[in-house]
Coordinates of all heavy atoms in Angstrom, one line a residue:
M223 N 97.9 96.9 80.3 CA 97.9 96.5 81.7 C 99.2 96.9 82.3 O 100.2 96.4 81.9 CB 97.7 95.0 81.8 CG 97.9 94.4 83.1 SD 97.5 92.7 83.4 CE 97.9 91.9 81.9
P224 N 99.2 97.8 83.3 CA 100.4 98.2 83.9 C 101.0 97.1 84.7 O 100.3 96.3 85.4 CB 100.0 99.4 84.9 CG 98.7 99.8 84.3 CD 98.1 98.7 83.7
E225 N 102.3 96.9 84.7 CA 103.0 95.9 85.4 C 104.1 96.5 86.2 O 104.8 97.5 85.7 CB 103.6 94.8 84.5 CG 102.5 94.0 83.8 CD 103.1 93.0 82.8 OE1 104.3 92.7 82.9 OE2 102.3 92.6 81.9
Y226 N 104.4 96.0 87.4 CA 105.4 96.6 88.3 C 106.2 95.5 89.0 O 105.7 94.4 89.1 CB 104.7 97.4 89.4 CG 103.8 98.5 89.0 CD1 102.5 98.3 88.5 CD2 104.4 99.8 88.9 CE1 101.8 99.4 88.1 CE2 103.6 100.9 88.5 CZ 102.3 100.6 88.1 OH 101.5 101.7 87.7
T227 N 107.4 95.8 89.5 CA 108.1 95.0 90.3 C 108.3 95.7 91.7 O 108.3 96.9 91.7 CB 109.5 94.6 89.8 OG1 110.3 95.8 89.6 CG2 109.4 93.9 88.5
I228 N 108.4 94.9 92.7 CA 108.6 95.5 94.1 C 109.8 94.7 94.6 O 109.8 93.4 94.7 CB 107.4 95.4 95.0 CG1 106.2 96.1 94.4 CG2 107.8 95.9 96.4 CD1 105.0 95.9 95.3
S229 N 110.9 95.4 95.0 CA 112.0 94.7 95.7 C 112.4 95.5 96.9 O 111.9 96.6 97.2 CB 113.1 94.6 94.7 OG 113.5 95.9 94.2
T230 N 113.4 95.0 97.6 CA 113.9 95.7 98.8 C 114.9 96.7 98.3 O 115.6 96.5 97.4 CB 114.6 94.7 99.8 OG1 115.7 94.1 99.1 CG2 113.6 93.7 100.3
R231 N 114.9 97.9 99.0 CA 115.9 98.9 98.7 C 117.3 98.4 98.9 O 118.2 98.7 98.1 CB 115.7 100.1 99.6 CG 116.7 101.2 99.2 CD 116.4 102.6 99.8 NE 115.1 103.1 99.4 CZ 114.8 103.7 98.2 NH1 115.7 103.7 97.3 NH2 113.6 104.2 98.0
S232 N 117.5 97.5 99.8 CA 118.9 97.0 100.1 C 119.3 95.9 99.1 O 120.5 95.6 99.0 CB 118.9 96.3 101.5 OG 118.1 95.1 101.6
G233 N 118.4 95.3 98.3 CA 118.7 94.3 97.4 C 118.6 92.9 98.0 O 118.8 91.9 97.4
A234 N 118.3 92.9 99.3 CA 118.2 91.6 100.0 C 116.9 90.9 99.6 O 115.9 91.5 99.1 CB 118.2 91.8 101.6
D235 N 116.8 89.6 99.8 CA 115.6 88.9 99.5 C 114.5 89.2 100.6 O 114.8 89.6 101.7 CB 115.9 87.4 99.6 CG 114.9 86.5 98.9 OD1 113.9 87.1 98.3 OD2 114.9 85.3 99.0
W236 N 113.3 89.1 100.2 CA 112.1 89.3 101.1 C 112.0 88.1 102.0 O 112.3 86.9 101.6 CB 110.8 89.4 100.3 CG 110.7 90.7 99.6 CD1 110.8 90.8 98.2 CD2 110.5 92.0 100.1 NE1 110.7 92.2 97.9 CE2 110.5 92.9 99.0 CE3 110.3 92.5 101.4 CZ2 110.3 94.2 99.1 CZ3 110.1 93.9 101.5 CH2 110.1 94.7 100.4
P237 N 111.5 88.2 103.2 CA 111.2 87.1 104.0 C 110.1 86.3 103.4 O 109.2 86.8 102.6 CB 110.7 87.7 105.4 CG 111.1 89.1 105.3 CD 111.3 89.5 103.9
D238 N 110.0 85.0 103.7 CA 109.0 84.1 103.1 C 107.6 84.5 103.7 O 107.5 84.7 104.9 CB 109.3 82.7 103.5 CG 108.4 81.7 102.8 OD1 107.9 82.0 101.6 OD2 108.0 80.7 103.4
I239 N 106.7 84.6 102.8 CA 105.3 84.9 103.2 C 104.5 83.7 102.7 O 104.4 83.4 101.5 CB 104.7 86.2 102.6 CG1 105.5 87.4 103.1 CG2 103.2 86.3 103.0 CD1 105.1 88.7 102.4
P240 N 104.0 82.9 103.6 CA 103.3 81.6 103.2 C 102.1 81.9 102.3 O 101.3 82.9 102.5 CB 102.8 81.0 104.6 CG 103.5 81.8 105.6 CD 103.9 83.1 105.1
A241 N 101.9 81.0 101.4 CA 100.7 81.0 100.6 C 99.4 81.0 101.5 O 99.4 80.3 102.5 CB 100.6 79.9 99.6
G242 N 98.4 81.8 101.1 CA 97.2 81.8 101.9 C 97.2 82.9 103.0 O 96.3 83.2 103.6
K243 N 98.4 83.5 103.1 CA 98.5 84.7 104.1 C 99.1 85.9 103.4 O 99.5 86.8 104.0 CB 99.5 84.2 105.2 CG 98.9 83.1 106.0 CD 99.6 83.0 107.3 CE 99.1 81.8 108.1 NZ 98.0 82.1 109.0
L244 N 99.1 85.9 102.1 CA 99.6 87.0 101.3 C 98.8 88.3 101.6 O 99.3 89.4 101.7 CB 99.6 86.8 99.8 CG 100.4 85.6 99.3 CD1 100.4 85.5 97.8 CD2 101.9 85.8 99.7
S245 N 97.5 88.2 101.7 CA 96.7 89.4 101.9 C 97.0 90.1 103.2 O 96.9 91.3 103.3 CB 95.2 89.0 101.9 OG 94.8 88.1 103.0
S246 N 97.4 89.4 104.2 CA 97.7 90.0 105.5 C 99.0 90.9 105.4 O 99.2 91.8 106.2 CB 97.9 89.0 106.6 OG 99.0 88.1 106.4
H247 N 99.8 90.6 104.4 CA 101.1 91.4 104.2 C 101.0 92.4 103.0 O 101.7 93.3 103.0 CB 102.3 90.5 104.0 CG 102.5 89.6 105.3 ND1 103.0 90.1 106.5 CD2 102.3 88.3 105.4 CE1 103.1 89.1 107.3 NE2 102.7 88.0 106.7
L248 N 100.2 92.1 102.1 CA 100.2 92.8 100.8 C 99.0 93.6 100.5 O 99.1 94.6 99.7 CB 100.5 91.8 99.6 CG 101.8 91.0 99.7 CD1 101.8 89.9 98.6 CD2 103.0 92.0 99.5
A249 N 97.8 93.2 101.0 CA 96.6 94.0 100.7 C 96.7 95.4 101.3 O 96.9 95.5 102.5 CB 95.3 93.3 101.2
P250 N 96.6 96.4 100.5 CA 96.8 97.8 101.0 C 95.6 98.2 102.0 O 94.4 98.3 101.5 CB 96.9 98.7 99.8 CG 96.3 97.9 98.7 CD 96.4 96.4 99.1
K251 N 95.9 98.5 103.2 CA 94.9 98.8 104.2 C 94.4 100.3 103.9 O 93.3 100.6 104.3 CB 95.4 98.7 105.6 CG 95.7 97.3 105.9 CD 96.3 97.1 107.3 CE 96.4 95.6 107.6 NZ 97.6 95.3 108.2
A252 N 95.1 101.0 103.2 CA 94.7 102.5 102.9 C 93.7 102.5 101.8 O 93.2 103.6 101.5 CB 96.0 103.3 102.6
L253 N 93.5 101.4 101.1 CA 92.6 101.4 99.9 C 91.5 100.4 100.2 O 91.8 99.3 100.8 CB 93.3 101.0 98.6 CG 94.5 101.9 98.2 CD1 95.2 101.4 97.0 CD2 93.9 103.3 97.9
Q254 N 90.3 100.7 99.8 CA 89.2 99.7 99.9 C 89.4 98.6 98.9 O 89.4 98.9 97.7 CB 87.9 100.4 99.8 CG 86.7 99.5 100.0 CD 85.4 100.2 100.0 OE1 85.3 101.4 99.8 NE2 84.3 99.5 100.1
C255 N 89.5 97.4 99.3 CA 89.7 96.3 98.4 C 89.0 95.0 98.8 O 88.7 94.9 100.0 CB 91.2 96.0 98.2 SG 92.1 95.5 99.6
E256 N 88.7 94.2 97.8 CA 88.0 92.9 98.1 C 89.1 91.9 97.7 O 89.6 91.9 96.6 CB 86.8 92.8 97.2 CG 86.2 91.5 97.1 CD 85.1 91.3 96.0 OE1 84.8 92.3 95.4 OE2 84.7 90.2 95.8
I257 N 89.3 90.9 98.5 CA 90.2 89.8 98.3 C 89.5 88.8 97.4 O 88.5 88.2 97.9 CB 90.7 89.2 99.6 CG1 91.5 90.3 100.3 CG2 91.6 88.0 99.3 CD1 91.9 89.9 101.7
V258 N 89.9 88.5 96.2 CA 89.3 87.5 95.3 C 90.0 86.2 95.5 O 89.3 85.1 95.5 CB 89.4 88.0 93.9 CG1 88.9 87.0 92.9 CG2 88.7 89.3 93.7
E259 N 91.3 86.2 95.7 CA 92.1 84.9 95.8 C 93.3 85.2 96.7 O 93.9 86.3 96.6 CB 92.6 84.4 94.5 CG 93.4 83.1 94.5 CD 93.8 82.7 93.2 OE1 93.3 83.1 92.1 OE2 94.8 81.9 93.2
D260 N 93.5 84.3 97.6 CA 94.7 84.5 98.5 C 95.3 83.1 98.6 O 95.1 82.4 99.6 CB 94.3 85.0 99.9 CG 95.4 85.4 100.8 OD1 96.6 85.1 100.4 OD2 95.2 85.9 101.9
S261 N 96.1 82.8 97.6 CA 96.8 81.4 97.6 C 98.2 81.7 97.3 O 98.9 82.5 98.0 CB 96.2 80.5 96.6 OG 96.2 81.1 95.3
S262 N 98.8 81.1 96.3 CA 100.2 81.5 96.0 C 100.2 82.8 95.1 O 101.3 83.3 94.9 CB 100.8 80.4 95.1 OG 100.1 80.1 93.9
V263 N 99.0 83.3 94.8 CA 98.9 84.6 94.1 C 97.8 85.3 94.9 O 96.8 84.7 95.2 CB 98.5 84.4 92.6 CG1 98.2 85.7 92.0 CG2 99.6 83.6 91.8
L264 N 98.0 86.6 95.1 CA 97.0 87.4 95.7 C 96.3 88.2 94.6 O 96.9 88.9 93.8 CB 97.6 88.4 96.7 CG 96.7 89.4 97.4 CD1 95.6 88.6 98.2 CD2 97.4 90.4 98.2
V265 N 94.9 88.0 94.5 CA 94.1 88.8 93.6 C 93.2 89.7 94.4 O 92.4 89.1 95.2 CB 93.4 87.8 92.6 CG1 92.5 88.6 91.6 CG2 94.4 86.9 91.9
L266 N 93.2 91.0 94.0 CA 92.3 91.9 94.7 C 91.5 92.7 93.7 O 91.9 92.8 92.5 CB 93.2 92.9 95.4 CG 94.2 92.5 96.4 CD1 95.2 93.7 96.7 CD2 93.6 91.9 97.6
R267 N 90.3 93.2 94.1 CA 89.5 94.1 93.3 C 89.6 95.4 94.1 O 89.3 95.5 95.3 CB 88.1 93.7 93.2 CG 87.9 92.4 92.5 CD 87.8 92.5 91.0 NE 86.8 93.5 90.5 CZ 87.0 94.2 89.4 NH1 88.1 94.0 88.7 NH2 86.1 95.0 89.0
I268 N 90.1 96.5 93.4 CA 90.1 97.8 94.0 C 89.4 98.7 93.0 O 90.0 98.9 91.9 CB 91.6 98.2 94.2 CG1 92.3 97.3 95.2 CG2 91.7 99.7 94.7 CD1 93.8 97.6 95.4
G269 N 88.2 99.1 93.4 CA 87.4 99.9 92.4 C 87.1 99.0 91.2 O 86.7 97.9 91.4
D270 N 87.4 99.5 90.0 CA 87.2 98.7 88.8 C 88.4 97.9 88.4 O 88.4 97.3 87.3 CB 86.7 99.6 87.6 CG 85.3 100.3 87.9 OD1 84.5 99.6 88.6 OD2 85.1 101.3 87.4
S271 N 89.4 98.0 89.2 CA 90.7 97.3 88.8 C 90.8 95.9 89.4 O 90.4 95.7 90.6 CB 91.9 98.2 89.3 OG 91.9 99.4 88.7
T272 N 91.4 95.0 88.7 CA 91.8 93.7 89.2 C 93.3 93.7 89.4 O 94.0 94.0 88.4 CB 91.4 92.6 88.3 OG1 90.0 92.6 88.1 CG2 91.8 91.2 88.8
V273 N 93.8 93.5 90.6 CA 95.2 93.6 90.9 C 95.7 92.1 91.3 O 95.1 91.5 92.1 CB 95.4 94.5 92.1 CG1 96.9 94.6 92.4 CG2 94.8 95.9 91.8
S274 N 96.8 91.7 90.6 CA 97.4 90.4 90.9 C 98.8 90.7 91.4 O 99.5 91.4 90.8 CB 97.5 89.5 89.7 OG 96.2 89.2 89.2
V275 N 99.1 90.0 92.5 CA 100.5 90.2 93.1 C 101.0 88.7 93.3 O 100.4 87.9 93.9 CB 100.4 90.8 94.5 CG1 101.8 91.1 95.1 CG2 99.6 92.1 94.5
S276 N 102.2 88.5 92.7 CA 102.8 87.2 92.7 C 104.3 87.3 93.0 O 104.9 88.3 92.6 CB 102.4 86.4 91.5 OG 102.9 87.1 90.4
W277 N 104.8 86.2 93.5 CA 106.2 86.1 93.7 C 106.8 85.3 92.4 O 106.4 84.2 92.2 CB 106.5 85.2 95.0 CG 107.9 85.0 95.3 CD1 108.6 83.9 94.9 CD2 108.8 85.8 95.9 NE1 109.9 84.0 95.4 CE2 110.1 85.2 96.0 CE3 108.7 87.1 96.5 CZ2 111.1 85.7 96.6 CZ3 109.8 87.6 97.2 CH2 111.0 87.0 97.2
E278 N 107.6 86.0 91.7 CA 108.0 85.5 90.4 C 109.5 85.0 90.4 O 109.9 84.0 90.0 CB 107.8 86.4 89.3 CG 106.3 86.8 89.0 CD 105.5 85.6 88.6 OE1 106.0 84.7 87.8 OE2 104.3 85.6 88.9
L279 N 110.4 85.9 90.9 CA 111.8 85.7 90.9 C 112.3 86.0 92.3 O 111.8 86.7 93.0 CB 112.5 86.6 89.9 CG 112.2 86.4 88.4 CD1 112.9 87.5 87.6 CD2 112.7 85.0 88.0
L280 N 113.5 85.4 92.6 CA 114.1 85.7 93.8 C 114.2 87.2 94.2 O 114.7 88.0 93.4 CB 115.5 85.1 93.8 CG 116.3 85.1 95.2 CD1 115.6 84.3 96.2 CD2 117.7 84.7 95.0
G281 N 113.6 87.5 95.3 CA 113.6 88.9 95.8 C 112.7 89.9 95.1 O 112.8 91.1 95.3
T282 N 111.8 89.4 94.3 CA 111.0 90.3 93.5 C 109.5 89.9 93.5 O 109.2 88.7 93.2 CB 111.4 90.4 92.0 OG1 112.8 90.7 92.0 CG2 110.6 91.4 91.2
W283 N 108.6 90.8 93.9 CA 107.2 90.6 93.8 C 106.8 91.3 92.5 O 107.3 92.4 92.1 CB 106.5 91.3 94.9 CG 106.6 90.5 96.2 CD1 107.5 90.7 97.1 CD2 105.8 89.4 96.6 NE1 107.4 89.8 98.1 CE2 106.3 89.0 97.9 CE3 104.7 88.8 96.1 CZ2 105.8 87.9 98.6 CZ3 104.2 87.7 96.8 CH2 104.7 87.3 98.0
Y284 N 105.8 90.8 91.7 CA 105.2 91.4 90.5 C 103.8 91.7 90.8 O 103.0 91.0 91.4 CB 105.3 90.4 89.4 CG 106.7 90.2 88.8 CD1 107.6 89.4 89.4 CD2 107.1 91.0 87.7 CE1 108.9 89.3 88.8 CE2 108.3 91.0 87.2 CZ 109.2 90.1 87.8 OH 110.5 90.0 87.3
V285 N 103.4 92.9 90.3 CA 102.1 93.4 90.4 C 101.5 93.7 89.0 O 102.2 94.4 88.2 CB 102.0 94.7 91.2 CG1 100.6 95.3 91.3 CG2 102.7 94.5 92.6
D286 N 100.4 93.1 88.7 CA 99.7 93.4 87.4 C 98.4 94.0 87.7 O 97.7 93.5 88.5 CB 99.5 92.1 86.6 CG 100.7 91.4 86.2 OD1 101.7 92.0 85.7 OD2 100.8 90.1 86.4
I287 N 98.1 95.1 87.0 CA 96.8 95.8 87.3 C 96.0 95.9 85.9 O 96.5 96.5 85.0 CB 97.1 97.2 87.8 CG1 97.9 97.0 89.1 CG2 95.7 97.9 88.1 CD1 98.3 98.4 89.7
E288 N 94.8 95.3 86.0 CA 93.9 95.3 84.8 C 92.8 96.4 85.1 O 92.2 96.3 86.2 CB 93.3 94.0 84.6 CG 94.3 92.9 84.1 CD 93.5 91.6 83.8 OE1 92.3 91.6 83.3 OE2 94.1 90.6 84.0
G289 N 92.6 97.3 84.2 CA 91.5 98.2 84.3 C 91.7 99.4 85.2 O 90.6 99.9 85.8
P290 N 92.9 99.9 85.4 CA 93.0 101.1 86.3 C 92.3 102.3 85.6 O 92.3 102.4 84.4 CB 94.5 101.3 86.4 CG 95.1 100.7 85.2 CD 94.2 99.6 84.8
E291 N 91.8 103.2 86.4 CA 91.2 104.4 85.8 C 92.2 105.3 85.2 O 91.9 106.0 84.2 CB 90.5 105.1 87.0 CG 89.3 104.4 87.5 CD 88.7 105.1 88.7 OE1 89.0 106.3 89.0 OE2 87.9 104.4 89.4
S292 N 93.5 105.2 85.7 CA 94.5 106.1 85.2 C 95.8 105.5 85.5 O 95.9 104.7 86.4 CB 94.4 107.5 85.7 OG 94.7 107.5 87.1
P293 N 96.9 105.9 84.8 CA 98.3 105.5 85.3 C 98.6 105.9 86.7 O 99.2 105.2 87.5 CB 99.2 106.2 84.3 CG 98.4 106.5 83.1 CD 97.0 106.7 83.7
E294 N 98.0 107.0 87.1 CA 98.3 107.5 88.5 C 97.6 106.6 89.5 O 98.1 106.3 90.6 CB 97.8 108.9 88.7 CG 98.5 110.0 87.9 CD 98.2 110.0 86.4 OE1 97.1 109.6 86.0 OE2 99.0 110.6 85.7
Q295 N 96.4 106.1 89.2 CA 95.7 105.1 90.1 C 96.6 103.9 90.2 O 96.7 103.3 91.3 CB 94.3 104.8 89.6 CG 93.6 103.9 90.6 CD 92.4 103.2 90.1 OE1 92.4 102.8 88.9 NE2 91.4 103.0 90.9
A296 N 97.1 103.4 89.1 CA 97.9 102.1 89.1 C 99.2 102.4 90.0 O 99.5 101.5 90.8 CB 98.3 101.7 87.7
D297 N 99.8 103.5 89.8 CA 101.0 103.9 90.6 C 100.6 103.9 92.1 O 101.3 103.4 93.0 CB 101.6 105.2 90.2 CG 102.3 105.2 88.9 OD1 102.4 104.1 88.3 OD2 102.6 106.3 88.4
T298 N 99.4 104.5 92.5 CA 99.0 104.6 93.8 C 98.8 103.2 94.4 O 99.2 102.9 95.6 CB 97.7 105.5 94.0 OG1 98.1 106.8 93.5 CG2 97.2 105.5 95.4
I299 N 98.1 102.3 93.7 CA 97.9 101.0 94.2 C 99.2 100.3 94.4 O 99.4 99.7 95.5 CB 97.0 100.2 93.2 CG1 95.6 100.7 93.1 CG2 97.0 98.7 93.5 CD1 94.8 100.2 91.9
T300 N 100.1 100.4 93.5 CA 101.4 99.7 93.7 C 102.2 100.3 94.8 O 102.8 99.6 95.6 CB 102.2 99.7 92.4 OG1 101.4 99.2 91.3 CG2 103.5 99.0 92.5
S301 N 102.2 101.6 95.0 CA 102.9 102.3 96.0 C 102.3 101.8 97.4 O 103.1 101.6 98.3 CB 102.7 103.8 95.9 OG 103.3 104.5 97.0
E302 N 101.0 101.7 97.5 CA 100.4 101.2 98.8 C 100.8 99.8 99.0 O 101.1 99.4 100.2 CB 98.9 101.4 98.7 CG 98.5 102.8 98.9 CD 98.9 103.4 100.3 OE1 98.8 102.7 101.3 OE2 99.5 104.5 100.3
I303 N 100.8 98.9 98.0 CA 101.2 97.5 98.2 C 102.7 97.5 98.7 O 103.0 96.7 99.6 CB 101.0 96.7 96.9 CG1 99.5 96.5 96.7 CG2 101.6 95.3 97.1 CD1 99.2 95.9 95.3
A304 N 103.6 98.2 98.1 CA 104.9 98.2 98.5 C 105.1 98.8 99.9 O 105.9 98.2 100.6 CB 105.7 99.1 97.5
R305 N 104.4 99.8 100.2 CA 104.5 100.3 101.6 C 104.0 99.3 102.6 O 104.7 99.1 103.6 CB 103.6 101.6 101.8 CG 103.8 102.3 103.1 CD 102.8 103.4 103.3 NE 101.4 103.0 103.2 CZ 100.8 102.3 104.2 NH1 101.4 101.9 105.2 NH2 99.6 102.0 104.0
Q306 N 102.9 98.6 102.3 CA 102.3 97.6 103.2 C 103.4 96.5 103.3 O 103.6 96.0 104.5 CB 101.1 97.0 102.6 CG 100.3 96.1 103.5 CD 99.5 96.9 104.5 OE1 99.2 98.1 104.3 NE2 99.2 96.2 105.5
L307 N 104.0 96.0 102.3 CA 105.0 95.0 102.3 C 106.2 95.4 103.2 O 106.7 94.6 104.0 CB 105.4 94.6 100.9 CG 106.5 93.5 100.8 CD1 106.0 92.2 101.3 CD2 106.8 93.3 99.3
G308 N 106.7 96.6 102.9 CA 107.8 97.1 103.7 C 107.5 97.2 105.2 O 108.3 96.8 106.1
D309 N 106.2 97.6 105.5 CA 105.8 97.7 106.9 C 105.8 96.3 107.6 O 106.2 96.1 108.7 CB 104.5 98.4 107.1 CG 104.5 99.9 106.8 OD1 105.6 100.4 106.7 OD2 103.4 100.5 106.7
A310 N 105.2 95.3 106.8 CA 105.1 94.0 107.3 C 106.4 93.3 107.5 O 106.5 92.4 108.4 CB 104.2 93.2 106.3
T311 N 107.4 93.6 106.7 CA 108.7 92.9 106.8 C 109.8 93.7 107.4 O 110.9 93.2 107.5 CB 109.1 92.4 105.3 OG1 109.2 93.6 104.5 CG2 108.0 91.5 104.7
A312 N 109.5 94.9 107.7 CA 110.6 95.8 108.3 C 111.8 96.0 107.3 O 112.9 96.2 107.7 CB 111.1 95.3 109.7
D313 N 111.5 96.1 106.1 CA 112.5 96.4 105.0 C 111.9 97.4 104.1 O 110.7 97.3 103.8 CB 112.9 95.1 104.3 CG 114.3 95.3 103.6 OD1 114.7 96.4 103.4 OD2 114.9 94.2 103.4
Q314 N 112.6 98.3 103.7 CA 112.1 99.4 102.8 C 111.9 98.8 101.4 O 112.8 98.2 100.8 CB 113.0 100.6 102.7 CG 112.4 101.7 102.0 CD 113.2 103.0 102.1 OE1 114.4 102.9 102.5 NE2 112.6 104.1 101.8
A315 N 110.7 99.0 100.9 CA 110.4 98.5 99.5 C 110.5 99.6 98.5 O 110.2 100.8 98.8 CB 108.9 97.9 99.5
V316 N 111.0 99.2 97.3 CA 111.0 100.1 96.1 C 110.2 99.5 95.0 O 110.2 98.2 94.9 CB 112.4 100.5 95.7 CG1 113.1 101.4 96.8 CG2 113.2 99.3 95.4
W317 N 109.5 100.3 94.2 CA 108.7 99.7 93.1 C 109.1 100.4 91.9 O 109.5 101.6 91.8 CB 107.2 99.8 93.4 CG 106.7 101.2 93.7 CD1 106.6 101.8 94.8 CD2 106.1 102.1 92.7 NE1 106.1 103.1 94.7 CE2 105.8 103.3 93.4 CE3 105.9 102.0 91.3 CZ2 105.2 104.3 92.7 CZ3 105.4 103.1 90.7 CH2 105.0 104.3 91.4
Y318 N 108.9 99.7 90.7 CA 109.3 100.2 89.4 C 108.2 99.7 88.4 O 107.8 98.6 88.5 CB 110.6 99.6 88.9 CG 111.7 99.9 89.8 CD1 112.2 98.9 90.8 CD2 112.4 101.1 89.8 CE1 113.2 99.2 91.7 CE2 113.5 101.3 90.6 CZ 113.8 100.4 91.6 OH 114.9 100.6 92.4
R319 N 107.8 100.6 87.5 CA 106.9 100.3 86.5 C 107.7 99.6 85.4 O 108.7 100.2 84.9 CB 106.1 101.5 85.9 CG 105.0 101.1 84.9 CD 104.5 102.3 84.2 NE 103.7 103.1 85.2 CZ 102.6 103.6 85.0 NH1 102.0 103.3 83.8 NH2 101.9 104.3 85.9
V320 N 107.3 98.4 85.0 CA 108.0 97.7 83.9 C 107.2 97.6 82.6 O 107.8 97.3 81.5 CB 108.5 96.3 84.4 CG1 109.5 96.4 85.5 CG2 107.3 95.4 84.8
A321 N 105.9 97.9 82.6 CA 105.1 97.9 81.4 C 103.9 98.8 81.7 O 103.4 98.9 82.7 CB 104.7 96.5 81.0
D322 N 103.4 99.4 80.6 CA 102.2 100.2 80.6 C 101.0 99.5 80.2 O 100.9 98.6 79.5 CB 102.3 101.5 79.8 CG 103.3 102.5 80.4 OD1 103.3 102.5 81.7 OD2 104.0 103.2 79.7

């Protein structure tokens, strides 16, 4: 299961996104997805993949992807989530793969 982190390029903390409104900031509009859960964790279905996005540590979002078709698909999903987060918060997002 690929795992990623998303942080701000500047190293600053992200603005607070209230539980229950994560999908409006994190669900990638460029990809067709189904929102499974939108509470303190955002769970999406994108194709055959289940994507979980959660706030774990100060300034860091974590993305876990189960069942991606390929590593490239997992990277694309995470890249889109990071872009969406950056657009919503007016801060540039950077993402890193931390596990395959």
